[in-house]
């Protein structure tokens, strides 16, 4: 391709794709896909640069070869050679003009176009926060799904169907080292140790790399020291000193660790002498890691177990009371001929799943509308009341408003028809996209008593119910889990789950606490409709409650209104 053409192409693609300012790429795959195309354009530009550089070098080579044979002949008999008048003229011409031309050619900068393309496109590249964010997502997945560093590094994600993961990717020593450094910069010494140890293993296996073994050992010894394991810290320090006997910090640490270890042993001996009960000599490291994990352990552990598909709390007897049915919402005119399939996912709280609620075409349209507007999802900071980003909610979302496109209205109408609830008072349709590692830790959708202002500005009361439409399958991870009751709901493209957040009295139902598990493989798209209290009483007054009271969706509502 002509260089000029590539340049124009890059400009155009930049203008088309780089309209939005840079923001948290790593939180959603939707916008990351654009980066792949940008990178492809850059490769085209780079290849054109290589071609130009090769053609320049070819010209220089030809000149050198021509002159090589000429000067060889000429210097064998200089006088005889110059006795030919044309040779004399040509020598003058070469020295006066042609060597100058060659000089210009050699000095010609062929890289300008490529460099200018790179400079333009780089403005929209991911930044340090994106790299850190993506690294932290990997560490989160490692914990939630109990993956070991070796499996991640070799690209063998356990429990993941290889058919759903066609793009295997492995990690180099350098990748492991970088991940360890991110953990280190977060003072996360547990993961620093795991990833530096993996880097060291790969180094020991003979993988060639620029990474310095001494640097790996330096991080390793420090991270295990931070976790209280002095003996291992000493081992790593000694190994470091074998490679680099003059390493200043390691020499200092060696003495310090030896001193600390001697002190620790002394203290242990003294303690043993006093009390000989079991467990006293337990390493400091063990004690520390227990303490560090304590904070928010019970729920976090429940959440992670449910995400792994463990710890579901449903006896077969209870399960036998969950049903599937064809549902027409009491002969609703739009569903009488074609009722929808409805399935009980859970009993208390009652969670139902509607099947085949939207078509693939409708999903594609909703995604297309949302994509340019996706922004990092925020949460309310309870202290300042402001919206901020948080590590416990990692995704991007956009709001699709009523009347902006027929597909949005069609979906809103369907929600109203199938739930029997008024949607005009609901929030707009929220579309969310979770990239790999994207998650939303346990939360309630409704506003609690201690936050009476949560939905005040909307003026429509609390969130009576949640409608959650899955707009994609997820290859691995990404389930919606209910941590209080031990339920897990898997995303299934085109299906929607629905539950009430409030009891009939209007009290919040705390058993609805739920979370979106980190996506392990794939890309998760959902859309939410949060239905509010206001407007539901109107339906009843106007005779719209002549609905099937046995319907699994309605009893809550009816009690609420009576
Ligand atoms: C939410 C939510 C669950 C999911 O956005 O409030 O709980 O699976 N989402 O995406
Ligand atoms: Fe939620």
């Amino acid at each position: 391709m002509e260089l000029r053409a590539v340049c124009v192409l890059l400009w155009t693609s930049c203008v088309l794709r780089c309209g939005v300012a840079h923001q948290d790429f790593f939180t959603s795959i939707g916008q990351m896909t654009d980066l792949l195309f940008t990178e492809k354009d850059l490769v085209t530009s780079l290849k054109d640069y290589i071609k130009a550089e090769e053609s320049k070098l070819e010209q220089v080579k030809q000149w050198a070869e021509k002159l090589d044979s000429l000067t060889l002949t000429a210097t064998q008999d200089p006088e005889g050679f110059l006795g030919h008048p044309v040779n004399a003229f040509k020598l003058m011409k070469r020295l006066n003009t042609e060597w100058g031309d060659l000089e210009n050619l050699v000095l010609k900068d062929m890289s300008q176009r490529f460099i200018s393309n790179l400079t333009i496109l780089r403005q929209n590249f991911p930044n340090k926060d994106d790299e850190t964010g993506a690294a932290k997502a990997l560490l989160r997945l490692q914990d939630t799904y109990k993956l070991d560093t070796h499996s991640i590094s070799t690209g063998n994600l356990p429990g993941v169907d290889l058919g759903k993961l066609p793009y295997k990717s492995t990690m180099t020593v350098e990748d492991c080292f970088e991940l360890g450094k991110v953990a280190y910069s977060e003072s996360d010494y547990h993961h620093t140790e795991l990833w530096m140890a993996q880097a060291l293993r790969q180094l020991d296996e003979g993988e060639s790399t620029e990474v310095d073994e001494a640097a790996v050992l330096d991080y390793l010894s420090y991270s295990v020291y931070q976790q209280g394991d002095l003996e291992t810290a000493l081992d790593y320090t000694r190994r470091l000193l074998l490679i680099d006997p003059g390493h200043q910090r390691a020499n200092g640490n060696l003495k310090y660790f030896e001193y600390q270890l001697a002190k620790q042993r002394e203290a242990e001996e003294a303690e043993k002498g006093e009390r000989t009960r079991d467990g006293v000599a337990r390493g400091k490291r063990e004690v520390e890691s227990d303490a560090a994990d304590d904070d928010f352990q019970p729920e976090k552990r429940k959440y992670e177990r449910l995400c792994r598909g463990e710890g579901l709390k449903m006896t077969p007897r209870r399960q036998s009371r969950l049903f599937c049915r064809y549902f027409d919402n009491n002969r609703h005119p739009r569903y009488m001929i074609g009722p929808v399939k409805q399935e009980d996912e859970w009993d208390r709280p009652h969670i139902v799943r509607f099947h085949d609620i939207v078509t693939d075409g409708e999903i594609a349209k909703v995604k297309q509308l949302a994509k340019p507007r996706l922004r990092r999802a925020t949460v309310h900071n309870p202290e300042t009341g402001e919206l901020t980003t948080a590590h416990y909610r990692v995704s991007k979302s956009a709001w699709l408003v009523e009347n902006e496109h027929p597909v949005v209205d069609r979906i809103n109408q369907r929600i109203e028809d199938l739930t029997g609830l008024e949607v005009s008072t609901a929030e707009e349709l929220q579309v969310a996209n979770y990239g790999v590692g994207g998650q939303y830790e346990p939360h309630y959708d409704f506003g609690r008593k201690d936050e009476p202002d949560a939905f005040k500005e909307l003026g429509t009361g609390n969130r009576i119910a949640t409608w959650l439409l899955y707009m994609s399958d997820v290859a691995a991870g990404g389930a919606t889990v209910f941590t209080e009751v031990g339920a897990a709901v898997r995303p299934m493209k085109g299906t929607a789950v629905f539950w009430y957040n409030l009891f009939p009295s209007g009290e919040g139902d705390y058993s609805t606490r739920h979370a979106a598990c980190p996506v392990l493989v794939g890309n998760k798209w959902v859309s939410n409709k949060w239905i509010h209290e206001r407007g539901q009483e109107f339906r009843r007054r106007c005779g719209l409650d002549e609905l099937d009271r046995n319907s699994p969706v309605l009893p809550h509502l009816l009690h609420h209104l009576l």
Side-chain angles (χ1 to χ4, degrees):
M1 198 187 300
E2 252 291 293
L3 276 178
R4 191 180 304 270
V6 172
C7 217
V8 169
L9 181 127
L10 288 179
W11 257 116
T12 336
S13 66
C14 185
V15 171
L16 289 177
R17 293 179 190 137
C18 316
V20 274
H22 170 271
Q23 38 165 333
D24 298 340
F25 278 114
F26 70 94
T27 54
S28 110
I29 289 190
Q31 281 159 344
M32 263 199 272
T33 53
D34 289 351
L35 294 176
L36 289 179
F37 289 98
T38 305
E39 199 173 39
K40 187 165 184 285
D41 290 347
L42 266 182
V43 174
T44 308
S45 179
L46 180 64
K47 277 161 72 180
D48 285 333
Y49 157 66
I50 294 169
K51 256 191 238 147
E53 203 73 89
E54 276 172 353
S55 126
K56 168 177 147 181
L57 203 57
E58 191 50 38
Q59 287 179 59
V60 176
K61 252 199 228 154
Q62 278 171 14
W63 171 261
E65 274 159 24
K66 190 175 117 190
L67 270 283
D68 192 25
S69 67
L70 192 96
T71 50
L72 193 70
T73 322
T75 50
Q76 270 164 11
D77 175 16
E79 286 186 18
F81 181 82
L82 289 174
H84 194 299
V86 172
N87 281 345
F89 163 69
K90 282 182 118 175
L91 178 64
M92 296 305 111
K93 179 167 164 269
R94 271 203 308 278
L95 293 177
N96 186 48
T97 313
E98 292 177 9
W99 276 102
D101 292 345
L102 179 82
E103 183 186 16
N104 289 339
L105 179 64
V106 169
L107 287 175
K108 193 167 168 190
D109 182 5
M110 313 305 278
S111 69
Q112 253 178 14
R113 288 208 168 102
F114 170 67
I115 295 299
S116 102
N117 283 332
L118 184 60
T119 312
I120 294 164
L121 294 180
R122 186 182 278 142
Q123 293 169 14
N124 297 286
F125 275 8
N127 60 21
K128 184 102 193 68
D129 288 347
D130 285 300
E131 192 177 333
T132 313
K136 285 201 262 177
L138 253 180
L139 300 179
R140 187 156 57 238
L141 290 175
Q142 177 176 15
D143 289 345
T144 307
Y145 297 105
K146 284 201 173 147
L147 309 173
D148 65 73
T149 40
H150 182 261
S151 307
I152 300 178
S153 183
T154 52
N156 293 313
L157 301 179
V160 175
D161 177 359
L162 283 180
K164 289 181 182 164
L165 186 59
Y167 308 101
K168 193 168 152 157
S169 188
T170 56
M171 290 173 74
T172 60
V173 171
E174 202 183 345
D175 295 332
C176 299
F177 185 64
E178 287 305 316
L179 203 50
K181 279 204 304 197
V182 169
Y184 178 82
S185 66
E186 299 289 313
S187 307
D188 172 356
Y189 300 114
H190 169 63
H191 285 111
T192 311
E193 177 191 351
L194 292 181
W195 284 100
M196 290 300 171
Q198 180 62 27
L200 190 64
R201 246 189 319 272
Q202 288 181 213
L203 268 169
D204 288 345
E205 282 162 11
E207 187 182 314
S208 77
T209 175
E210 301 274 294
V211 176
D212 181 18
E213 186 177 337
V216 176
L217 286 164
D218 199 8
Y219 277 106
L220 257 176
S221 70
Y222 188 73
S223 58
V224 294
Y225 160 69
Q226 277 292 338
Q227 296 173 84
D229 187 350
L230 279 165
E231 269 166 85
T232 315
L234 251 177
D235 289 346
Y236 284 133
T237 308
R238 289 196 182 112
R239 187 168 159 188
L240 198 171
L241 285 169
L242 280 181
I243 306 172
D244 183 359
H247 197 288
Q248 256 191 355
R249 192 176 32 253
N251 276 307
N253 284 346
L254 182 73
K255 291 198 193 79
Y256 179 70
F257 293 160
E258 279 170 346
Y259 167 73
Q260 289 287 330
L261 193 62
K263 235 172 66 178
Q264 189 178 310
R265 288 205 174 123
E266 238 171 66
E268 276 170 15
E269 284 304 315
E271 217 168 323
K272 230 191 236 166
E274 279 173 27
R275 289 175 288 143
T276 45
R277 72 173 158 80
D278 281 354
V280 171
R282 194 156 76 121
K284 187 179 167 215
R285 177 178 190 167
E286 216 178 314
V287 176
E288 274 201 354
S289 61
D290 282 355
D293 285 345
D294 256 336
D295 298 350
F296 150 79
Q297 210 37 263
E299 181 169 51
K300 189 158 184 203
R301 208 168 279 165
K302 254 194 269 177
Y303 165 50
E304 293 182 346
R305 283 179 65 205
L306 284 169
C307 289
R308 290 196 296 272
E310 301 163 11
L312 299 181
K313 283 195 201 132
M314 179 66 87
T315 58
R317 193 182 151 85
R318 239 173 106 185
Q319 212 158 8
S320 69
R321 294 195 208 111
L322 301 181
F323 295 102
C324 295
R325 63 190 73 80
Y326 282 101
F327 179 76
D328 65 4
N329 199 4
N330 196 33
R331 297 186 295 283
H332 189 286
R334 273 191 278 269
Y335 291 94
M336 261 168 71
I337 298 182
V340 294
K341 283 172 264 171
Q342 192 197 56
E343 181 184 356
D344 294 327
E345 281 283 346
W346 206 257
D347 50 3
R348 284 180 310 275
H350 194 190
I351 306 166
V352 291
R353 189 196 295 262
F354 293 99
H355 287 262
D356 303 322
I357 283 304
V358 286
T359 63
D360 286 358
E362 285 172 323
I363 289 176
K365 189 74 216 171
V366 168
K367 280 159 70 172
Q368 188 197 352
L369 291 170
K371 226 173 138 177
R373 281 186 259 158
L374 288 173
R375 297 288 177 274
R376 174 84 192 259
T378 51
V379 292
H380 264 113
N381 178 336
E383 272 150 38
T384 63
E386 280 169 11
L387 289 175
T388 53
T389 60
H391 70 277
Y392 59 86
R393 186 175 190 191
V394 184
S395 65
K396 282 197 168 176
S397 52
W399 298 93
L400 301 189
V401 301
E402 212 183 319
N403 293 333
E404 78 164 86
H405 190 278
V407 76
V408 179
D409 299 340
R410 224 162 37 231
I411 290 175
N412 288 343
Q413 184 64 53
R414 224 165 276 164
I415 299 172
E416 180 162 304
D417 294 344
L418 290 172
T419 63
L421 295 174
E422 177 65 46
V423 294
S424 66
T425 53
E427 290 163 63
E428 305 292 3
L429 191 69
Q430 188 191 57
V431 177
N433 178 217
Y434 300 80
V436 169
Q439 62 159 358
Y440 191 176
E441 287 185 14
H443 63 279
Y444 304 107
D445 281 355
F446 60 87
R448 262 85 60 226
K449 282 217 186 74
D450 58 349
E451 39 172 27
D453 293 347
F455 303 111
K456 198 173 168 190
E457 74 233 43
L458 298 177
T460 49
N462 211 341
R463 283 173 169 169
I464 186 172
T466 297
W467 168 278
L468 172 64
L469 171 69
Y470 296 109
M471 302 202 299
S472 66
D473 293 313
V474 181
T480 309
V481 296
F482 292 74
T483 44
E484 281 304 307
V485 297
V489 179
R490 280 207 59 74
M492 277 171 68
K493 189 176 183 184
T495 71
V497 288
F498 175 84
W499 69 87
Y500 277 90
N501 294 305
L502 305 182
F503 282 120
S505 61
E507 281 281 303
D509 180 351
Y510 285 79
S511 73
T512 60
R513 192 163 171 86
H514 62 282
C517 295
V519 173
L520 176 57
V521 180
N523 187 13
K524 177 179 169 187
W525 285 90
V526 295
S527 59
N528 294 85
K529 193 81 180 168
W530 284 293
I531 303 170
H532 281 239
E533 293 176 290
R534 198 69 62 243
Q536 314 310 341
E537 50 300 41
F538 167 82
R539 293 186 67 82
R540 188 173 66 85
R541 267 206 314 277
C542 296
L544 293 171
D545 64 338
E546 292 303 309
L547 301 164
D548 180 7
R549 283 163 195 261
N550 297 320
S551 136
V553 179
L554 283 161
H556 288 271
L557 169 67
L558 294 174
H559 289 292
H560 184 60
L561 297 173
L562 289 171

